Amino acid sequence: MANVSHRGDITSHPDVSEMRARYARMLGGRDVALVDGPVFLLGLYCAASPWILHYTVSQPALATHNLIVGIAIGLLALGFTTAPARMYGLSWAMCAMGVWMIIAPWIVGSSPDTGVVLNNIIIGALAVILGLMCAGTAAKSAPMP
């Protein structure tokens, strides 16, 4: 049986530069993690906001809408964390969801009050900003051809 218990220095390995470059690409820059957490928290708040602000009775359709969009934002954040190279192309979808959140109170809701409108505008604006940050991170970490 081969002795695999010794651990040597790999700096003399012929593929060390390629392995380092691949590792750096896989990480995608660690500024990625600075965006993923806030995106997940935004999704969590979006999903819970109808119960936090108590508009589940007055706006049941909008409560369901915010729950579904919040779950979608949270799933995007988990995707950004687990497979950043594949998922950061969907950062523009996050921007689109942010714009949708801004206009949803008037389309999905029925005569929403100021608190509901402000809540969705703030969530939508944050989603657009974080989506743009994700897109910027993806553009910065994409390999040049």
Side-chain angles (χ1 to χ4, degrees):
M1 187 176 284
N3 182 8
V4 293
S5 63
H6 80 319
R7 301 195 189 231
D9 188 16
I10 70 162
T11 56
S12 62
H13 192 279
D15 296 329
V16 72
S17 61
E18 182 182 335
M19 288 188 294
R20 285 185 179 152
R22 183 173 183 203
Y23 182 72
R25 277 193 318 269
M26 280 180 21
L27 285 180
R30 274 328 308 161
D31 52 351
V32 175
L34 297 175
V35 180
D36 298 345
V39 171
F40 183 75
L41 290 175
L42 180 69
L44 188 66
Y45 175 74
C46 180
S49 66
W51 290 272
I52 293 171
L53 298 178
H54 306 291
Y55 63 86
T56 55
V57 174
S58 64
Q59 299 287 332
L62 198 57
T64 305
H65 168 270
N66 280 20
L67 175 66
I68 292 169
V69 173
I71 291 170
I73 291 173
L75 288 174
L76 272 176
L78 291 176
F80 293 158
T81 302
T82 57
R86 293 182 182 156
M87 292 296 292
Y88 272 110
L90 292 176
S91 343
W92 298 109
M94 177 122 166
C95 293
M97 284 195 301
V99 170
W100 172 249
M101 283 297 294
I102 292 172
I103 62 173
W106 296 282
I107 297 173
V108 177
S110 56
S111 62
D113 64 357
T114 306
V116 172
V117 171
L118 280 177
N119 180 59
N120 273 34
I121 288 174
I122 291 169
I123 291 171
L126 287 172
V128 169
I129 290 168
L130 290 171
L132 290 173
M133 289 174 64
C134 289
T137 302
K140 187 170 58 171
S141 65
M144 291 293 188

